[in-house]
Amino acid sequence: MKPTSWITRVDVPARQGRAVRVGAGHLVRVSTPNGAQVGDLFAFVSADPAEHLSAAHTRGHVNRLFPRVGEQFVTTGRRPILTLVEDTSPGRHDMLIAACDPARYRNLGHRGPHASCAENLTTAAREAGIEITTVPQPVNVFMDVAPDAAGELEWRSSPAGPGAAVTFRAELDCVVVVSACPQDLVGINGREPGPLALEIRH
C-alpha cells in the first residue's frame, strides 16, 4: 500500500504532543522527518474515551510484542481500534515501557521542570475535548528496547532513518495522540529529541 496524497498534516514539534480525530476507515501515518525520534502513540474511542488502545491487551491479542503489518491493536474492551498497514522503518517499536512523566525524570536525577509524554498526552487530549485521569501505556513507535540474555532491558537509540513511517487504519472513530518523546537522559532519541509528523488520509 503506497498512498500518494495525504489530506491533513499535523506537525508535532520536538518535546510536544498533538491530537487528531480519525474516522473509521481512514489512515493515519506517523513519521520521523529527521530520523531516530521516538513517538508515544495513544488512541481513544471517540464515543467513549474510557475505552482506549491497550498495549497489554494487544500483546495477548497478537501473541507477540508488536503487531506485524496486517495485524491489529485492540482496546481495553478487546476491540480492534488500529490496524498496522505499512511500516517503512526497521520495525523496532516498543509496547513494554510506560510514558515518561515528571517522576521518571526526577528518578533519573533531573532537577526542575522537564517536558514529558504523560503531560503532553493530557494537554493534547484536553485540547481535543478529552480529560485524561490515568495515562495508558503507549505504543512507542520507533523505540528500540529489548531484553538481553540475562533479561535486562537494553535502551538503544532508535534505528529509524529520516522519513521512516508507520501507517495505521482506524477501525473505530478515535482520537489519536502522539507525543514526540522529550527523553534526553536515556539515549533512545539519537543525539537529541526531534519532531514527528502526523498525516491523515480520508
Side-chain angles (χ1 to χ4, degrees):
M1 185 213 69
K2 296 187 178 297
T4 56
S5 62
W6 294 86
I7 307 302
T8 302
R9 177 186 168 107
V10 175
D11 292 317
V12 185
R15 304 174 186 268
Q16 296 183 30
R18 294 291 186 271
V20 292
R21 291 191 175 272
V22 184
H26 296 172
L27 301 179
V28 57
R29 178 168 66 181
V30 184
S31 61
T32 169
N34 302 333
Q37 175 58 44
V38 169
D40 285 36
L41 181 145
F42 309 84
F44 300 85
V45 176
S46 294
D48 180 11
E51 183 180 1
H52 54 78
L53 188 159
S54 168
H57 290 76
T58 298
R59 291 195 301 268
H61 181 71
V62 298
N63 199 35
R64 69 180 86 252
L65 287 178
F66 196 84
R68 295 172 177 165
V69 170
E71 296 181 337
Q72 296 171 324
F73 297 82
V74 300
T75 69
T76 46
R78 301 190 186 273
R79 295 196 295 164
I81 185 169
L82 299 175
T83 297
L84 181 64
V85 297
E86 186 177 41
D87 186 354
T88 67
S89 79
R92 300 301 300 176
H93 310 286
D94 167 75
M95 291 205 304
L96 294 175
I97 305 302
C100 60
D101 53 27
R104 171 67 167 157
Y105 291 106
R106 288 195 299 271
N107 291 342
L108 288 171
H110 181 80
R111 297 293 176 262
H114 194 293
S116 72
C117 289
E119 293 173 311
N120 288 346
L121 166 64
T122 56
T123 298
R126 185 177 302 115
E127 291 173 353
I130 298 174
E131 289 297 325
I132 301 299
T133 56
T134 300
V135 176
Q137 182 185 335
V139 172
N140 297 303
V141 297
F142 312 128
M143 182 168 167
D144 190 5
V145 174
D148 64 16
E152 300 287 332
L153 293 178
E154 296 181 357
W155 298 70
R156 305 166 179 166
S157 180
S158 170
V166 282
T167 304
F168 308 93
R169 182 178 65 244
E171 304 300 340
L172 300 168
D173 292 345
C174 59
V175 176
V176 173
V177 181
V178 172
S179 170
C181 183
Q183 178 61 263
D184 52 9
L185 303 180
V186 175
I188 59 172
N189 285 316
R191 289 177 296 178
E192 61 181 1
L196 293 170
L198 270 169
E199 294 165 285
I200 301 170
R201 189 180 188 210
H202 298 222

